[in-house]
Amino acid sequence: MSITRMLDLMNDAPYGVYAVDMDQRIVFWNHCAERILGHKRHDVIGRRCYQVCASIPEEGDDPVCLNGCPSIKLAREGIIPPVVHVRMLCSSGERKPVTVTPLLMDQDDEQKLLVHLFHVKTNDARAKSVAEDVHSVFSTKPELAETPHDKHKPLTMRELEVLRLLAMALEAKEIAERLDLSSHTILNHIRNARLKLNAKNRLEAVLAAQRRGLL
């Protein structure tokens, strides 16, 4: 699935989504981002994110990107940034406390994008449910039910490697080619990782691994 197609699926998501390139220019801004922050898509596309939402940490008064965006620095190195709690600037001038879950999208034939999934911070449980809301992005065919012992096993190095490539928006076939393995083997690694992380789908597995600091 291409990055463009995945972003299209997020257009009507029930939480804010915006994507920036490695120069911090906004290339995607969904409907819910408009509702939460008030900035209209046609006003923000092409502008740098710090010119629009200028996120400030929960504790502090200076934008996190004042001395260079730490999330972009990680993304340029191929590292998925951590989940953060910040106050985003609205079009009205007020700031809203939000939880931001980053997702790195990178394909050989497309530029690397840093996607931000965010929602107004009312409780931390909502951060976990964001992954479930976007299950259509990395939707999978029905698989075997989870067995209780699976989620207590640690992820193998290969499973982690496959999850990192999934986080880069690669399909199972593309991962198989990159790792010189069969598609069947890759699907088994995805399934095993998903069960160990108690994730319902591929995207939730990637985000769960990210929250645990595994990616």
Side-chain angles (χ1 to χ4, degrees):
M1 184 185 298
S2 69
I3 290 176
T4 301
R5 173 57 179 155
M6 284 190 286
L7 290 176
D8 284 344
L9 291 172
M10 294 181 180
N11 203 37
D12 295 313
Y15 45 82
V17 182
Y18 73 93
V20 299
D21 61 20
M22 293 300 99
D23 290 325
Q24 292 181 258
R25 292 190 182 279
I26 298 173
V27 298
F28 177 81
W29 189 269
N30 80 341
H31 298 307
C32 194
E34 290 187 349
R35 291 195 297 272
I36 294 174
L37 300 178
H39 303 290
K40 299 302 181 182
R41 183 182 318 196
H42 57 77
D43 291 329
V44 303
I45 296 297
R47 296 176 63 191
R48 288 188 165 86
C49 52
Y50 56 80
Q51 296 174 322
V52 176
C53 43
S55 298
I56 289 179
E58 286 185 304
E59 301 295 333
D61 299 314
D62 296 324
V64 293
C65 49
L66 188 63
N67 297 311
C69 177
S71 293
I72 285 291
K73 290 178 180 178
L74 291 174
R76 286 172 179 160
E77 297 176 8
I79 302 171
I80 302 173
V83 174
V84 294
H85 303 296
V86 295
R87 290 175 289 147
M88 280 188 176
L89 183 65
C90 302
S91 61
S92 64
E94 71 170 313
R95 289 190 176 276
K96 285 189 178 179
V98 300
T99 297
V100 183
T101 302
L103 178 65
L104 185 61
M105 293 187 175
D106 184 14
Q107 290 186 330
D108 293 337
D109 57 344
E110 299 187 59
Q111 67 180 140
K112 184 183 297 183
L113 298 180
L114 181 59
V115 180
H116 303 75
L117 316 177
F118 70 94
H119 59 88
V120 177
K121 186 186 177 186
T122 54
N123 57 70
D124 289 339
R126 176 61 177 149
K128 296 180 181 179
S129 69
V130 165
E132 297 179 9
D133 292 335
V134 291
H135 68 276
S136 59
V137 178
F138 281 115
S139 59
T140 60
K141 295 179 180 179
E143 301 183 51
L144 297 178
E146 175 184 331
T147 55
H149 66 278
D150 281 330
K151 58 184 177 184
H152 299 297
K153 293 181 179 179
L155 293 173
T156 65
M157 293 301 293
R158 182 65 83 183
E159 288 163 357
L160 285 171
E161 187 175 22
V162 170
L163 283 177
R164 290 190 185 100
L165 294 174
L166 278 179
M168 295 166 62
L170 297 184
E171 294 282 4
K173 181 179 179 182
E174 295 171 307
I175 295 174
E177 293 173 352
R178 182 169 295 198
L179 299 181
D180 195 24
L181 297 171
S182 70
S183 294
H184 178 73
T185 298
I186 296 301
L187 290 174
N188 280 338
H189 285 313
I190 293 172
R191 174 184 176 276
N192 291 338
R194 185 182 61 76
L195 295 181
K196 289 177 182 179
L197 293 168
N198 195 23
K200 297 179 181 179
N201 50 69
R202 301 181 189 185
L203 181 56
E204 187 174 343
V206 169
L207 295 178
Q210 178 188 343
R211 287 195 298 269
R212 296 185 189 186
L214 299 175
L215 299 183

